[in-house]
Amino acid sequence: MDLGKRIDKLKTDIDECIKEGCKNVEMADNPRKEIEMYFKHMRWAAPELSAYIKKQMLIILNLDD
């Protein structure tokens, strides 16, 4: 598999994990607070990835302002 296909697969896999996470967040009493908790816990290990995940979750759950 060439590099381009591996990168596309990685992004697709990340997006699928985000969608799965959104299913859990959607059930929470306060989805915005749950998303913020994801962001706070992940940003220490991967700040850029945590920002991407937060942005995508807000978009998927239609909470982006």
Side-chain angles (χ1 to χ4, degrees):
M1 184 181 295
D2 70 350
L3 181 60
K5 288 182 181 180
R6 289 192 320 231
I7 291 169
D8 289 343
K9 181 175 179 347
L10 177 60
K11 183 175 181 320
T12 300
D13 291 348
I14 290 170
D15 289 341
E16 288 299 317
C17 288
I18 292 170
K19 287 176 186 174
E20 287 296 316
C22 283
K23 289 179 184 176
N24 295 328
V25 169
E26 193 172 38
M27 300 297 201
D29 291 335
N30 188 345
R32 284 185 192 271
K33 184 177 179 182
E34 285 289 314
I35 291 171
E36 193 61 32
M37 293 300 289
Y38 269 73
F39 175 72
K40 286 180 179 179
H41 282 84
M42 187 178 294
R43 73 176 172 199
W44 299 106
E48 295 86 3
L49 181 59
S50 65
Y52 176 75
I53 290 171
K54 179 180 179 179
K55 178 182 168 190
Q56 290 304 110
M57 285 182 146
L58 289 170
I59 290 169
I60 291 169
L61 295 173
N62 199 24
L63 297 173
D64 58 328
D65 295 330

